[in-house]
Amino acid sequence: MAPLQNNEVKLVDYIPAYQPHFERLNKWWIEKYFTVEPVDEDVLGKPEQHIIAKGGDIIFAMVGETIAGTVALKSIDAETAEMTKMAVDEAYQGHRIGWKLAEGILEVARRKGLKKVVLYSNTKLAVALNMYQKLGFREIPVEEGRYERSTIKMEIVFGEENRLYAIADGLINAINTAVPLLKQIPETTAAERVSRGKWSPKEIIGHLIDSAINNNVRFIRSQQISLLEIPGYAQDFWVRGQAWQFSSWQELIDLWAGMNKHLALTIRAIPAKALQHLIKINENEPVTLEYVVIDYLEHLKHHLTQVKIIL
């Protein structure tokens, strides 16, 4: 099937005639990966009773006259709802219908004046979890007593979306742009120090790996306390101690890219309320976690210019 255009997918509200599709779509994916539980049978068979009548909503994705997917919003209390029972017909997967459904049901939640939406899932559903994370959901502890198949819980709090999503996206863009350019640099050129006391390209990328290592600790630890006091690191000492000059250029590039892809995920997972936590490095004046994350990307771009990569 050719990629669907955005205007080919229409979101529509629940009507009783759509109940068999709600049940069909959800039973398919549950049976594919798990076991249909009694609570599934009850909700899927009686969505009006268990979802609609209790203040919830169900929407469907239509492609032409075909119902290609569905998702529900189940009320929990006056401020919170659960995004649940998302399913996309196998024949229409890979066309971002799940994304459109998720955006649609989150918009329903916003219009209702809700403050928070949660979801329960399973870590084997990696594609879905990646989508939720990109939409702004972050992992929180999962309690007992929900679905047997639930091994992860996520939430999105409206108005507290992480302002650093753009930095995380910028980091990924920098990696995707820089990696093919770095790989064009021959091993001998990457190893060359243009003058005594200057780093080679290998050592510059190695320094950026050191930066990723140290900032990863800062990003995580500063979420736990309002003022983190942490030592800096002697950059030249680290570069020599890590022996970056004697590492394979291709392996260095892969390590740098992999660590920064991970850091992009870490940045996206930072709770918005932690962004103003302070970090005091050595004897410097404290700065916010938000500042440290923004500065991290600028620092990375600065050092890439030293190997003639301009982003």
Side-chain angles (χ1 to χ4, degrees):
M1 180 189 299
L4 297 173
Q5 300 300 313
N6 217 32
N7 59 8
E8 291 184 73
V9 182
K10 180 174 66 173
L11 298 183
V12 298
D13 294 325
Y14 177 88
I15 59 174
Y18 292 162
Q19 181 275 327
H21 297 286
F22 184 66
E23 186 170 11
R24 167 183 64 84
L25 290 164
N26 275 285
K27 277 192 172 180
W28 172 81
W29 78 262
I30 296 172
E31 290 172 345
K32 179 177 180 179
Y33 296 103
F34 308 103
T35 300
V36 176
E37 300 174 31
V39 65
D40 296 315
E41 294 279 8
D42 205 21
V43 172
L44 296 175
K46 304 171 185 175
E48 292 172 71
Q49 175 184 331
H50 292 286
I51 297 175
I52 304 295
K54 294 182 178 180
D57 296 85
I58 302 172
I59 60 175
F60 295 84
M62 303 281 293
V63 179
E65 298 301 314
T66 302
I67 293 178
T70 185
V71 67
L73 192 70
K74 186 177 179 182
S75 179
I76 295 177
D77 56 41
E79 297 183 342
T80 311
E82 176 189 350
M83 186 171 84
T84 184
K85 298 296 183 283
M86 175 179 281
V88 176
D89 191 305
E90 188 175 26
Y92 289 90
Q93 291 182 3
H95 297 279
R96 294 177 63 84
I97 289 176
W99 185 280
K100 192 171 181 70
L101 282 164
E103 287 186 320
I105 208 68
L106 289 175
E107 181 56 32
V108 170
R110 289 187 180 94
R111 290 201 305 266
K112 284 174 167 285
L114 297 176
K115 293 185 177 180
K116 179 168 62 177
V117 173
V118 301
L119 64 86
Y120 296 84
S121 190
N122 187 286
T123 51
K124 73 164 63 174
L125 303 176
V127 173
L129 294 180
N130 185 54
M131 178 185 73
Y132 300 145
Q133 190 262 348
K134 288 181 178 178
L135 283 164
F137 284 88
R138 66 181 187 90
E139 183 178 1
I140 58 174
V142 59
E143 70 273 25
E144 298 290 337
R146 299 296 297 184
Y147 307 102
E148 288 295 325
R149 60 180 175 269
S150 295
T151 59
I152 188 170
K153 182 179 181 181
M154 304 180 79
E155 73 172 10
I156 184 169
V157 180
F158 299 132
E160 290 189 8
E161 289 86 353
N162 187 335
R163 296 188 296 276
L164 297 180
Y165 288 168
I167 300 298
D169 291 342
L171 187 54
I172 292 297
N173 289 337
I175 297 163
N176 291 339
T177 301
V179 164
L181 298 175
L182 289 169
K183 289 189 173 182
Q184 292 176 16
I185 299 174
E187 180 86 18
T188 52
T189 304
E192 184 180 1
R193 293 173 180 159
V194 294
S195 64
R196 184 179 299 172
K198 296 290 186 180
W199 287 337
S200 68
K202 282 188 177 184
E203 290 171 311
I204 292 170
I205 298 303
H207 166 63
L208 290 178
I209 295 171
D210 292 337
S211 174
I213 293 169
N214 281 273
N215 279 283
N216 185 50
V217 173
R218 294 168 182 171
F219 295 170
I220 295 297
R221 289 189 180 277
S222 62
Q223 295 178 43
Q224 297 177 298
I225 56 177
S226 58
L227 175 58
L228 172 69
E229 296 190 41
I230 193 167
Y233 63 101
Q235 298 177 1
D236 287 312
F237 178 82
W238 273 66
V239 167
R240 288 194 304 273
Q242 296 270 47
W244 298 126
Q245 182 63 31
F246 306 101
S247 300
S248 158
W249 179 231
Q250 297 301 315
E251 290 175 358
L252 270 174
I253 295 168
D254 292 341
L255 179 57
W256 171 77
M259 292 193 69
N260 280 284
K261 287 178 180 178
H262 169 72
L263 272 183
L265 290 173
T266 301
I267 291 167
R268 292 185 66 89
I270 297 173
K273 62 185 178 183
L275 295 180
Q276 296 309 304
H277 285 188
L278 296 174
I279 303 174
K280 188 175 189 297
I281 302 171
N282 289 338
E283 298 304 315
N284 297 319
E285 287 296 313
V287 293
T288 64
L289 171 57
E290 183 172 15
Y291 172 86
V292 172
V293 175
I294 293 171
D295 184 65
Y296 176 79
L297 180 57
E298 293 306 309
H299 171 262
L300 179 146
K301 289 181 177 180
H302 164 71
H303 280 291
L304 286 177
T305 64
Q306 296 176 327
V307 287
K308 306 297 187 291
I309 293 175
I310 311 299
L311 300 178

